[in-house]
Amino acid sequence: TVREEFLKRFLNSIIATLSASAIAVAIGSLAAYGLSRFSYKFGSWRNKDSSFFFLSQLILPPVVLAMPFLVLYKELAFLDTRIGLILLYTLMVLPIVIWIMRDQFDTIPIELEQAAMVDGCSVWGAFLRIVLPIALPGMVAAFILSVILCWNEYFFAALLTSTNAKTLPVMVASQTGSQGISWWSMAALSAAAIAPLIVIGISLERYIVKGLTAGSVK
């Protein structure tokens, strides 16, 4: 039935979106911390150029990656699987997470970590106990942005899934047929797809504002 199909697509979207966003924030935060705190040089490349590099990955049109991902996923048996979508969504939002979190870590004085290490903390201890709590608003903002981007993603979900892992945006777009568009079904599905984002936005509004304005005042 339509209800059972909707619940299945909704569950697919929830699992793929939340998993990919959580993984991207975890990996991206570690990568951004390394870029913010440690200096390195590889030829003419310095870590100050990394922000532009990661941000430039968002410029690449998704259609350029369609054929490589299709061939790769076919070889790895990731077509029409949730794990395939999770990995793809993680790669999709990782650059912008790194970009946001690096700016977040740059606003945190390194003297706080040095003081923690003088008191006996290791590098990891200072990162987990001092830096992460301060950077939490930025992490939440990056997580919410990742959720929005993953939740609304249509192109790869339509390309790489067929039945088992199809997501809600694909179901919404499929409400067209030879007899035209089923407007009532599309409206109902669109409202159901928008509702979770509204709830998340209202619930975490204060973190979004803190994360996006962090570092604006010195």
Side-chain angles (χ1 to χ4, degrees):
T1 63
V2 176
R3 180 180 178 181
E4 292 176 350
E5 184 181 1
F6 167 77
L7 292 176
K8 183 177 181 180
R9 308 310 172 204
F10 187 82
L11 183 61
N12 287 341
S13 292
I14 287 287
I15 293 175
T17 297
L18 294 183
S19 300
S21 299
I23 295 172
V25 170
I27 298 176
S29 297
L30 293 175
Y33 180 75
L35 293 173
S36 174
R37 289 297 188 260
F38 305 104
S39 299
Y40 65 89
K41 180 179 178 182
F42 185 74
S44 60
W45 182 275
R46 293 177 174 83
N47 58 344
K48 68 178 182 179
D49 304 317
S50 301
S51 290
F52 174 76
F53 169 76
F54 287 114
L55 190 61
S56 67
Q57 305 307 302
L58 302 175
I59 303 174
L60 193 65
V63 68
V64 176
L65 302 174
M67 186 58 68
F69 268 106
L70 193 60
V71 174
L72 178 64
Y73 271 40
K74 183 178 180 181
E75 292 295 324
L76 297 176
F78 279 166
L79 288 176
D80 199 24
T81 61
R82 289 175 180 172
I83 186 65
L85 281 183
I86 291 172
L87 293 175
L88 178 60
Y89 286 177
T90 301
L91 291 175
M92 182 180 69
V93 300
L94 192 58
I96 196 168
V97 170
I98 294 176
W99 179 58
I100 292 174
M101 291 309 302
R102 182 183 179 182
D103 288 344
Q104 183 76 19
F105 290 133
D106 284 343
T107 63
I108 302 175
I110 194 172
E111 289 79 10
L112 295 177
E113 300 161 64
Q114 293 173 345
M117 286 186 280
V118 168
D119 290 337
C121 280
S122 62
V123 174
W124 279 106
F127 174 71
L128 295 175
R129 296 181 181 180
I130 306 298
V131 178
L132 277 189
I134 300 175
L136 182 61
M139 295 179 68
V140 175
F143 178 79
I144 294 174
L145 182 59
S146 300
V147 167
I148 294 173
L149 293 174
C150 295
W151 185 267
N152 293 326
E153 203 283 324
Y154 169 78
F155 179 77
F156 286 111
L159 177 69
L160 302 176
T161 64
S162 56
T163 55
N164 295 327
K166 187 181 294 184
T167 58
L168 198 54
V170 179
M171 184 180 181
V172 173
S174 67
Q175 301 304 306
T176 58
S178 58
Q179 297 180 351
I181 302 174
S182 178
W183 292 107
W184 290 108
S185 298
M186 182 172 288
L189 291 172
S190 299
I194 295 171
L197 298 181
I198 295 176
V199 173
I200 291 175
I202 294 175
S203 303
L204 302 177
E205 178 183 5
R206 62 192 182 98
Y207 289 104
I208 300 175
V209 175
K210 288 181 181 178
L212 295 180
T213 59
S216 60
V217 179
K218 295 284 186 179

